[in-house]
Amino acid sequence: MSNSAIGSGLVLLGLVFAAFAAVAGLYTGLTRREGALPWVQRAVYAFGVSLIASNVWMVKSLLEHDFSVKYVAQVGSRSTPTIYTIVSLWSSLEGSILFWGGVMGIYLIAFTFIHRKEHGRYMQLSLGMMSIVAAFFAFLIASPADPWIAVPAAADGPGPNPLLQNNPLMIIHPPMLYMGFVGMTVPFGIATGALLRGEIGDAWMGPLRRWTLVPWLFLTIGIILGSWWAYAVLGWGGFWAWDPVENASFMPWLASTAFMHSTMVTERKKSLKLWTLALALGAFLLTILGTFMTRSGIFNSVHAFGTSDVGKTFFLFFFLPMSAFCLFLLAVRGPMLEAESRVESLMSREGAIFFNNLFFAGITFVVLIGTTFPMVVEALQNRRLSVGEPYFNTTALPFALCILFLMGVGPMLPWGAADARTVQRQLIVPGIGALLGVGLSLLFGYPGAMPLATFACAGFVTVITLRELVLPAQSRMAEQKESPWAAMVRSASRTPRRFGGYIVHLGVVVICVAIGAYAGYKQQVSATVKAGQTVSVGKYQVRFDGLDSGREPHREWVGANVTVISPGGKEVKHHGVNSPRLNYYPTQNRPIESPLVHEMLHGDVYVSLIAFDNAAGTATFNAYVFPLVGWIWYSIPFFVFGTLIALWPRRKAALARAATVPGAAAAPGSPS
């Protein structure tokens, strides 16, 4: 049997099992037939195994160079290195949808297994809603985005997009984004299952929050790695251009981040319930909108997959119906989500979170408008336009600065009304931190109003965050006579969500400082030089040591050997494959740049080769110095470590809360 037949058969099996799980889960859940749960679970397991197996079979076909499979013929090549042959699974439209289905299978298997002993009707409804999403993607893979179509076998193929072969980050960046995008299906299923069931108690919020936190982490890592890839591969010296596809990943991140903050008010003060669930549903819908944007061909982007009918299918037959369904659920079940208390004072922690959510909503709105406006114009007037960086920087960055400031204000304030004099006293030390941030930045020159405000807020937030991390440990050291390490570990274990959240906040501060330094202090020079001549950029010199060239199985390249000379006179050579290069691929008319990134903890020297003249022995460079830019990607451990701590189980405490909270009795089997 051919690879096409096996792979296609596995997808069709997955479609049948997902459709059965969707129909059976919703029907038996709504009719209270909880004995059917094992059948729904088995169908979900079968769907997951089928789609995972189809992905594995596609990798096998790629490695075998089976060009009788349509997708292999599109992206395969005998000259492509093995690792990029595997990576080509998600390098083009049909393969990316297949990979999406495989990731969906992993999530649904994990959710079903972890909550296999939960209340039947809850699980049936949640799995039924998740299976609707799974069935839709299986349908896409089986029909409009079928990668398994049999074609006449060719001798060789073109290989994957050259941009995807230029840097190892493409090995992990797309899977992280997919784990983030696809993972939003699980909280969507939990939230819609709760709304369908009509029994919405506090016990639902824990699993909903945790299953949002998991894809949020992957989405965070994916976005940061994507900015690193753009910086290290595209050669323009930037890491974020408000590209429509970048925005497509950023918007669900904003919505899910706002959701996780809003859950604190919902759980603590029993308010913002409708808003919190709306954010959970909105994060999922924004992932579907983003998927449409990357696969519709409407946007011209290095991240997009090109023109396809898949985008229209997404929009007309999934995004619009799902949006209408979510609005209907919120409208019908809204009366059940009335707040049990109100925000007593804006000068309180819940008040700060309320404003935090408003600013998150503001950023999401302006990014959504700026991203979708060209799409609307094209649909109505049949002309293409783009909204550039000035719009986004002008509208979104002030909101972001306000959120950064509130990251310090919120933890400083108590739940409920705050005493004004107490707040004033607590502001003294963080205020000094803000002044130190301003003072340190001014030592290196005036960076501009926005970077200066960023450094001030960063100093303010850092002091408050460190204080909140250390104070519980200090109390234990004084009361329990524990060592600093033991006190810190035990205080973290008692409140892992709080402790992990503050570590994540430190990661955000690191990113903001790095972006502020990049924007305020970057330096650039362009020059054409001969061998032996140097280019000065900031306090560094870049010496051109002559042209070089090379050939690899899948490309040829021309590089400019350079030496970076530091202010102290230390020389670091970047020759051969480590030099700034222009890469020539057989399938591309234009060369693709590979810039030199001379990385240091305090900043990078960045050199792009723009042009060269073999006869004259000259090279034209763009050379930059970017202070602290690497800390954007070095912040990833803060997010990983903080999220893992926040996810650390506290089973006894969770069970105790579930037994006492209102609504838990109505849903005794809700996961904890």
Side-chain angles (χ1 to χ4, degrees):
M1 188 177 291
S2 68
N3 285 328
S4 291
I6 294 173
S8 181
L10 289 168
V11 173
L12 290 174
L13 276 176
L15 174 58
V16 170
F17 286 125
F20 174 81
V23 173
L26 290 175
Y27 176 74
T28 59
L30 292 171
T31 57
R32 302 178 180 272
R33 302 182 183 187
E34 297 175 11
L37 176 60
W39 290 100
V40 178
Q41 292 173 324
R42 291 175 191 134
V44 170
Y45 287 138
F47 161 79
V49 170
S50 299
L51 267 294
I52 293 169
S54 187
N55 274 265
V56 172
W57 211 262
M58 179 59 78
V59 172
K60 171 182 175 292
S61 302
L62 287 164
L63 291 173
E64 291 176 349
H65 303 300
D66 183 359
F67 296 110
S68 68
V69 177
K70 176 186 174 184
Y71 187 72
V72 179
Q74 287 178 345
V75 303
S77 173
R78 299 184 187 278
S79 63
T80 301
T82 300
I83 185 62
Y84 291 112
T85 297
I86 297 172
V87 167
S88 63
L89 171 64
W90 52 78
S91 68
S92 194
L93 174 65
E94 292 85 355
S96 72
I97 299 292
L98 177 63
F99 185 64
W100 185 297
V103 175
M104 178 84 71
I106 293 172
Y107 266 111
L108 264 61
I109 288 174
F111 178 81
T112 305
F113 180 77
I114 290 172
H115 299 296
R116 62 192 180 280
K117 297 180 180 179
E118 304 296 350
H119 191 272
R121 189 170 174 232
Y122 157 76
M123 284 297 294
Q124 285 159 248
L125 291 172
S126 295
L127 288 176
M129 289 304 304
M130 295 177 205
S131 296
I132 288 178
V133 182
F136 175 77
F137 276 92
F139 163 74
L140 283 181
I141 301 167
S143 183
D146 186 2
W148 288 111
I149 296 174
V151 297
D156 204 351
N161 187 330
L163 278 173
L164 308 183
Q165 304 178 56
N166 240 25
N167 192 285
L169 284 170
M170 287 309 297
I171 299 171
I172 52 176
H173 159 55
M176 291 295 103
L177 283 180
Y178 281 113
M179 292 294 288
F181 275 151
V182 181
M184 291 298 173
T185 304
V186 177
F188 166 77
I190 296 173
T192 51
L195 289 166
L196 284 171
R197 184 177 184 182
E199 297 170 352
I200 306 164
D202 293 347
W204 294 84
M205 199 54 65
L208 181 57
R209 171 174 41 80
R210 285 191 292 275
W211 280 102
T212 302
L213 194 55
V214 172
W216 176 88
L217 174 61
F218 285 118
L219 195 55
T220 303
I221 296 172
I223 291 171
I224 295 174
L225 290 179
S227 68
W228 195 357
W229 174 82
Y231 175 78
V233 170
L234 299 182
W236 59 294
F239 53 84
W240 189 266
W242 297 104
D243 178 282
V245 181
E246 291 173 339
N247 296 343
S249 63
F250 190 42
M251 287 186 291
W253 184 90
L254 290 168
S256 56
T257 305
F259 163 80
M260 287 184 293
H261 286 84
S262 185
T263 57
M264 292 188 287
V265 180
T266 301
E267 292 176 297
R268 183 72 177 246
K269 305 297 289 186
K270 309 297 184 291
S271 60
L272 300 183
K273 292 181 180 180
L274 181 62
W275 171 251
T276 300
L277 275 181
L279 287 172
L281 300 181
F284 170 76
L285 293 175
L286 286 170
T287 65
I288 300 302
L289 179 63
T291 305
F292 158 71
M293 291 192 296
T294 56
R295 289 162 176 82
S296 63
I298 290 176
F299 298 108
N300 183 22
S301 166
V302 297
H303 308 279
F305 288 103
T307 303
S308 168
D309 291 335
V310 172
K312 298 176 183 176
T313 306
F314 260 100
F315 190 75
L316 295 175
F317 298 103
F318 196 67
F319 176 74
L320 289 181
M322 275 296 177
S323 298
F325 174 71
C326 290
L327 289 173
F328 172 78
L329 270 184
L330 291 172
V332 171
R333 299 300 192 187
M336 301 176 59
L337 300 172
E338 290 184 2
E340 298 175 30
S341 66
R342 303 294 178 186
V343 176
E344 299 176 14
S345 171
L346 294 179
M347 192 183 294
S348 62
R349 186 166 300 189
E350 58 267 34
I353 294 174
F354 172 75
F355 282 114
N356 160 289
N357 268 227
L358 287 182
F359 291 133
F360 269 117
I363 296 180
T364 306
F365 179 75
V366 299
V367 173
L368 179 64
I369 292 299
T371 305
T372 58
F373 181 70
M375 180 173 63
V376 175
V377 169
E378 181 175 2
L380 297 178
Q381 301 181 7
N382 196 29
R383 63 186 181 94
R384 290 200 170 194
L385 57 82
S386 61
V387 177
E389 285 188 61
Y391 163 80
F392 292 104
N393 289 338
T394 302
T395 57
L397 292 186
F399 285 119
L401 191 63
C402 291
I403 291 173
L404 179 61
F405 175 69
L406 287 173
M407 280 172 50
V409 172
M412 183 184 66
L413 296 173
W415 294 101
D419 178 69
R421 291 185 178 180
T422 303
V423 172
Q424 289 174 357
R425 288 197 302 271
Q426 290 182 330
L427 279 172
I428 294 174
V429 177
I432 294 173
L435 292 175
L436 285 174
V438 171
L440 287 173
S441 66
L442 291 177
L443 286 177
F444 300 95
Y446 178 66
M450 188 62 74
L452 193 65
T454 300
F455 296 135
C457 289
F460 178 78
V461 174
T462 300
V463 171
I464 292 175
T465 304
L466 292 177
R467 184 172 66 187
E468 293 297 316
L469 284 171
V470 171
L471 279 178
Q474 284 183 331
S475 298
R476 293 191 65 87
M477 289 168 60
E479 296 172 5
Q480 306 294 331
K481 308 302 180 185
E482 294 176 341
S483 67
W485 172 253
M488 184 66 73
V489 170
R490 287 172 183 165
S491 63
S493 65
R494 287 174 64 88
T495 55
R497 182 180 170 191
R498 172 184 177 277
F499 194 89
Y502 286 137
I503 292 177
V504 169
H505 280 192
L506 289 177
V508 175
V509 170
V510 169
I511 289 179
C512 291
V513 170
I515 293 175
Y518 170 92
Y521 299 110
K522 63 183 177 183
Q523 296 172 295
Q524 175 186 359
V525 65
S526 299
T528 300
V529 292
K530 294 184 176 181
Q533 294 181 328
T534 61
V535 175
S536 295
V537 53
K539 296 181 180 180
Y540 294 86
Q541 291 185 316
V542 179
R543 187 180 67 223
F544 174 44
D545 297 331
L547 295 170
D548 200 351
S549 63
R551 179 189 294 269
E552 298 175 52
H554 60 306
R555 66 185 177 189
E556 298 179 3
W557 58 266
V558 174
N561 295 331
V562 298
T563 298
V564 177
I565 306 172
S566 66
K570 180 181 178 181
E571 298 187 0
V572 179
K573 294 183 178 181
H574 298 274
H575 289 185
V577 294
N578 296 318
S579 65
R581 305 188 314 273
L582 293 175
N583 301 294
Y584 296 86
Y585 291 85
T587 58
Q588 294 288 312
N589 295 324
R590 298 179 59 185
I592 294 176
E593 297 178 36
S594 283
L596 157 68
V597 183
H598 179 74
E599 296 186 36
M600 299 167 287
L601 286 178
H602 60 276
D604 293 353
V605 176
Y606 187 102
V607 182
S608 291
L609 176 62
I610 305 302
F612 64 91
D613 187 331
N614 272 319
T618 61
T620 301
F621 297 110
N622 282 337
Y624 309 82
V625 171
F626 296 131
L628 301 181
V629 66
W631 285 95
I632 296 174
W633 11 106
Y634 304 156
S635 68
I636 289 177
F638 287 94
F639 292 96
V640 174
F641 187 49
T643 302
L644 291 178
I645 291 176
L647 286 170
W648 196 259
R650 296 178 61 215
R651 186 162 183 78
K652 291 182 179 179
L655 290 175
R657 286 197 301 270
T660 58
V661 293
S670 297
S672 56

